[in-house]
Amino acid sequence: MMLYDLLIAPFADFGFMRRALVASLALSVGGSAIGVFLILRRMSLMGDALAHSLLPGAALGFLLGGLSLPAMSLGGFLAGVATALVSGVIARFSSMREDASFAAAYLTAMALGVLIVSLRGSAVDLMNILFGAILAVDEAALVLVVSTATLTLVGLAAIYRPLVVECFNPGFLAAMGIRGSVYHYLFLSLAVLNMVAGFQALGTLMALGLILLPAVASSFWAREVWSMTLVAAPMAFASALIGLLVSFHVGLPSGPVIVLFASLFFLGSLLLGSRASVRARLSHPVHLRG
């Protein structure tokens, strides 16, 4: 009975816990695939910049429509896509690298978003946007998260081959007369869409943690794109499941607890993983490898 009360009763007795669990599952499935590609494309910090760039759009949606899911989601998506496009244009037509242009854009967007919220909202409104509240996910937000996960999987399946080639050998696509930038921006659009769905539940500061940390952890266990995704998704969902239970029983905020458990999966993978981990390097020293 004690085990039932600890693990099952919170989801059986409370609808908000069930909605949070389904939202976590959808975020884990869609976000893990995005996270793996962000890692392979060495865009982890750019992903952070994209997540922060949602803030002014979400804040403007909040300013115009209050806590309206369509207004904040559309505003966040447009702001994220605009940041990606502007950063790409700056990098293409100047000597600035794309990561530097992303950093400049996200810092500007972050300051602008906080300013917009302060015009009408309060510190509580700003905290809700920044850190989210997965236990407050309603049916409309749940539909958004599940739809985003479905669209992500379908979209990545459609562009999988050229996207993988563009990750490792962009010159090959150019030689074939294929514009890799098209797939690059399609992928960025899917990434922004997942961050929009994630910030509705975890906030702009926490959403990327559930997307990136399991993906990084999976790199210590698998090497192919598909296998990394298959490892990352269960890690992300387990982090969310354990985090929800701990936050429910202990009374801690859910988003940070979920991300901290994802960090524990990363730390465990770093120490014990089968590939390039501390354990693997100690058991097979580099100078003894043939």
Side-chain angles (χ1 to χ4, degrees):
M1 190 64 181
M2 179 67 72
L3 196 61
Y4 175 86
D5 292 335
L6 286 175
L7 303 180
I8 300 176
F11 302 108
D13 297 340
F14 299 99
F16 67 87
M17 287 292 287
R18 291 193 294 272
R19 289 191 294 271
L21 185 65
V22 175
S24 300
L25 176 59
L27 285 173
S28 301
V29 172
S32 295
I34 294 294
V36 167
F37 276 105
L38 285 174
I39 297 301
L40 292 177
R41 299 170 71 83
R42 299 182 181 180
M43 293 180 62
S44 305
L45 294 180
M46 291 185 192
D48 182 57
L50 279 177
H52 286 77
S53 71
L54 306 181
L55 184 58
L60 189 59
F62 169 77
L63 188 65
L64 297 176
L67 290 172
S68 166
L69 177 66
M72 293 178 66
S73 299
L74 180 60
F77 179 76
L78 293 177
V81 171
T83 300
L85 292 175
V86 168
S87 301
V89 169
I90 292 174
R92 181 177 295 272
F93 293 100
S94 72
S95 59
M96 183 181 292
R97 290 179 52 178
E98 191 173 14
D99 57 344
S101 63
F102 261 105
Y106 110 76
L107 290 170
T108 303
M110 187 76 172
L112 182 60
V114 173
L115 181 62
I116 292 173
V117 173
S118 68
L119 292 176
R120 176 176 169 179
S122 64
V124 174
D125 297 320
L126 180 61
M127 291 292 286
N128 284 334
I129 293 175
L130 291 177
F131 295 101
I134 195 167
L135 296 183
V137 169
D138 57 14
E139 292 185 2
L142 191 59
V143 170
L144 172 65
V145 175
V146 173
S147 301
T148 297
T150 304
L151 182 60
T152 298
L153 295 179
V154 173
L156 287 179
I159 64 173
Y160 179 80
R161 287 184 179 275
L163 188 61
V164 171
V165 174
E166 208 264 338
C167 284
F168 298 104
N169 192 1
F172 177 78
L173 287 182
M176 296 291 293
I178 300 173
R179 296 185 62 183
S181 59
V182 173
Y183 299 100
H184 174 70
Y185 285 111
L186 284 174
F187 167 72
L188 286 181
S189 298
L190 290 175
V192 170
L193 190 60
N194 274 267
M195 291 169 195
V196 168
F199 104 80
Q200 297 292 340
L202 296 173
T204 58
L205 297 184
M206 295 287 104
L208 197 64
L210 194 62
I211 292 175
L212 278 182
L213 284 170
V216 177
S218 70
S219 65
F220 294 103
W221 300 98
R223 58 183 301 175
E224 291 85 5
V225 176
W226 64 269
S227 58
M228 288 176 64
T229 303
L230 289 180
V231 173
M235 283 187 182
F237 183 60
S239 302
L241 175 62
I242 299 170
L244 286 172
L245 289 171
V246 170
S247 67
F248 178 85
H249 291 295
V250 182
L252 295 172
S254 302
V257 175
I258 289 172
V259 174
L260 284 175
F261 275 102
S263 299
L264 290 179
F265 274 106
F266 162 70
L267 183 60
S269 301
L270 172 65
L271 295 175
L272 304 173
S274 58
R275 294 186 64 254
S277 66
V278 174
R279 178 184 67 84
R281 290 185 179 274
L282 290 177
S283 59
H284 301 286
V286 176
H287 68 280
L288 294 181
R289 295 176 191 170

